[in-house]
Amino acid sequence: MVQRRSLIALSAMGIATPAVLRAQGSWPDRPIRLIVPWAPGGSTDTIARLFQPRLAQVLGQPVVIENRGGASGAIGAAEAARAPADGSTWMFQYDNEGPNQTLMRLTYRTLEAFAPVSLVATGPLAMVCHSSTPFRTFRDVVDAAKREPDRYNYATSGAGGLAHIATTLLQQQNGFKLTHVPYRGGGPAVTAAVANEVPLFMTNVVIVSQHIRNGTLRPLGVTTRTESRHVPGTPSFAQQGFGDFEAPTWWAMFGRAGTPQPIMDRMHAALTQVLREPEVKARIEEQGCDIQATDGETCRRFVANEIERWGQVIRDNGIRADS
């Protein structure tokens, strides 16, 4: 009885019992669920599927991607936040996770519900247009929008996402007006842009790189401080005279808060190994982003800064998720 009480007390203090230690030591002992809170075909799904096969091999268990799109990534994130903290469920999320904390009434708070594993990659957002449009530079867009406010539509992967907020800020700082057309994820948005259903599209480069290369979509500006190697020959908005404007996009891996540290460490080691393998790294970066593969604390600080930075922009400018 004394021994039993001691084990219960140790468990309550967060000190693992031998049974728990054995369970942690055998992880993973079943298929791993990887929630991607976006529709198939978007950048988050694309990147996840590039590292998924090797991650499964390194971990020795299938890694099953579950696309749970909707509400700018919030529906899938809420599902991941309800999962047990046992290493069975992980989330691979996009930059919308930052703005969502201010824009939406969520059932969770990112840095309370989740334990960051790694900042996986960062890259530029780009404003692109269909090749049939007359626009050759972003200045052409601004001049046209000033002449005829609200005539020109631009697409994003969802209302309230970073692409939407960044474009809103760009408009407010420079005195022009475009009409926002949100889609249910990057996949549907790029399909509409390629079909010329909408003339402009603010997006990460990952899902439009092939369409830029084949000439279907024309890049007009990027949100990095200077020109990006992923969109050569396209100056940044700052370089085109639109203020000190910068809004990089990002992707990160999260586990549930409270997941035992040995499991977190194992996932981090496996993911880092995979992301640094030359073939995987090259395949992801050729899509239009740069591998980061950080430690969990660096990822936590980065995400906390994004939440605060874009939260302030949202509050200052009255941006709404339905605007």
Side-chain angles (χ1 to χ4, degrees):
M1 180 63 72
V2 172
Q3 183 181 19
R4 177 180 173 82
R5 289 175 178 171
S6 297
L7 289 173
I8 292 172
L10 288 172
S11 297
M13 293 168 60
I15 301 174
T17 65
V20 174
L21 288 173
R22 286 195 299 273
Q24 293 175 17
S26 63
W27 185 89
D29 58 357
R30 69 191 70 179
I32 294 167
R33 179 190 187 201
L34 180 58
I35 292 180
V36 173
W38 297 90
S43 67
T44 314
D45 180 67
T46 297
I47 294 174
R49 293 182 189 279
L50 289 175
F51 69 71
Q52 168 209 13
R54 278 294 294 141
L55 185 62
Q57 290 175 351
V58 171
L59 290 173
Q61 288 289 344
V63 175
V64 181
I65 291 177
E66 182 177 320
N67 295 96
R68 297 294 297 268
S72 295
I75 290 177
E79 172 67 18
R82 291 191 292 268
D86 60 1
S88 60
T89 301
W90 304 79
M91 177 176 72
F92 185 56
Q93 181 59 298
Y94 184 44
D95 55 40
N96 283 47
E97 192 64 28
N100 283 355
Q101 298 300 292
T102 302
L103 282 165
M104 299 184 179
R105 295 181 178 178
L106 301 173
T107 57
Y108 68 94
R109 306 307 297 173
T110 300
L111 296 179
E112 295 174 3
F114 298 104
V117 177
S118 175
L119 179 63
V120 170
T122 59
L125 291 170
M127 178 69 83
V128 299
C129 66
H130 192 270
S131 59
S132 66
T133 69
F135 306 125
R136 292 296 182 272
T137 69
F138 191 66
R139 177 60 65 184
D140 294 337
V141 174
V142 173
D143 290 344
K146 286 184 175 180
R147 288 193 301 268
E148 299 179 276
D150 289 318
R151 175 183 173 182
Y152 298 98
N153 298 339
Y154 78 97
T156 71
S157 61
L162 181 58
H164 174 207
I165 295 169
T167 307
T168 299
L169 181 60
L170 195 60
Q171 293 173 83
Q172 292 172 340
Q173 288 179 339
N174 294 281
F176 66 97
K177 189 70 170 67
L178 302 171
T179 298
H180 182 219
V181 181
Y183 284 81
R184 193 180 177 85
V190 73
T191 298
V194 169
N196 199 21
E197 294 174 8
V198 61
L200 299 164
F201 181 23
M202 181 70 105
T203 179
N204 62 75
V205 176
V206 172
I207 61 173
V208 292
S209 57
Q210 70 180 72
H211 303 294
I212 291 174
R213 286 194 293 267
N214 67 25
T216 304
L217 299 177
R218 180 184 304 123
L220 302 174
V222 293
T223 62
T224 42
R225 192 172 297 278
T226 59
E227 181 179 322
S228 168
R229 69 185 178 95
H230 298 297
V231 197
T234 303
S236 68
F237 294 113
Q239 289 173 319
Q240 294 183 60
F242 294 100
D244 186 23
F245 189 84
E246 185 177 19
T249 187
W250 55 270
W251 298 262
M253 178 78 89
F254 297 86
R256 278 285 285 113
T259 299
Q261 194 59 46
I263 294 178
M264 293 293 298
D265 292 343
R266 173 77 173 117
M267 175 58 87
H268 179 266
L271 181 62
T272 299
Q273 175 186 329
V274 169
L275 293 175
R276 290 177 177 171
E277 290 179 357
E279 183 177 352
V280 175
K281 184 175 186 289
R283 290 182 66 197
I284 292 176
E285 291 195 336
E286 72 183 7
Q287 302 297 317
C289 58
D290 299 298
I291 293 294
Q292 300 299 324
T294 69
D295 58 70
E297 182 54 33
T298 298
C299 181
R300 176 181 293 278
R301 290 195 301 268
F302 179 90
V303 173
N305 182 70
E306 287 290 289
I307 291 171
E308 175 56 32
R309 177 190 180 200
W310 294 110
Q312 192 63 50
V313 173
I314 292 164
R315 291 187 292 270
D316 288 349
N317 295 279
I319 299 172
R320 304 192 314 274
D322 59 352
S323 58

